């Protein structure tokens, strides 16, 4: 049995769509957890807290489109002045104390920002 190129393309597309519809096997969790350690976080990992802080840096990057800013914002487990600057630029200063609590949990020490 030979498949025509159209049939083969349809079969491959069907397989690709089926694979795309399958839930990922915890890939985002592993990526975030690895990122947690790469950022020199030494505290307790919490996926929701990490995602919230990471979103600050992501939003800041989307505003300025500077890849280095994203890296500096996340550096040393969100303890740099760049993170604080991003919080201010994004007008989330009212959440800064909450963010400090989050950072303290992830960082394992007082963030000092």
């Amino acid at each position: 049995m030979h498949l025509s190129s159209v049939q083969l393309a349809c079969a491959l597309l069907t397989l690709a769509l089926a694979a795309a519809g399958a839930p990922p096997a915890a890939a985002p969790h592993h990526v975030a957890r690895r990122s947690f350690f790469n950022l020199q976080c030494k505290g307790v990992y919490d996926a929701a807290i990490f995602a919230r802080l990471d979103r600050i840096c992501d939003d800041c990057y989307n505003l300025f489109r500077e890849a280095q800013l994203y890296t500096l914002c996340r550096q040393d487990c969100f303890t740099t002045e760049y993170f604080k600057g991003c919080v201010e630029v994004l007008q989330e200063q009212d959440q800064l104390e909450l963010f400090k609590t989050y950072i303290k949990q992830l960082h394992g020490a007082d963030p000092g920002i």
Side-chain angles (χ1 to χ4, degrees):
M1 178 176 145
H2 292 13
L3 293 177
S4 71
S5 60
V6 172
Q7 289 173 321
L8 183 60
C10 286
L12 290 174
L13 181 60
T14 302
L15 286 173
L17 290 175
H29 177 72
H30 290 303
V31 171
R33 192 157 178 87
R34 186 172 351 142
S35 186
F36 172 81
F37 292 111
N38 289 344
L39 295 177
Q40 300 176 354
C41 296
K42 295 176 174 72
V44 178
Y45 175 74
D46 183 301
I49 289 174
F50 186 84
R52 177 65 178 108
L53 297 176
D54 193 52
R55 192 167 57 240
I56 294 291
C57 298
D58 193 43
D59 290 346
C60 200
Y61 165 75
N62 287 329
L63 188 61
F64 295 104
R65 293 291 180 191
E66 284 291 330
Q68 189 174 16
L69 178 60
Y70 178 72
T71 302
L72 292 169
C73 178
R74 299 173 79 228
Q75 189 174 8
D76 297 329
C77 198
F78 308 101
T79 60
T80 66
E81 287 296 317
Y82 289 96
F83 179 82
K84 186 176 179 182
C86 285
V87 169
E88 291 172 7
V89 166
L90 296 169
Q91 299 181 350
E92 295 205 36
Q93 297 96 322
D94 58 328
Q95 299 289 313
L96 189 57
E97 289 305 314
L98 178 63
F99 295 152
K100 286 181 182 181
T101 303
Y102 288 169
I103 293 168
K104 187 173 184 177
Q105 178 179 339
L106 296 178
H107 186 59
D110 188 13
I113 60 170

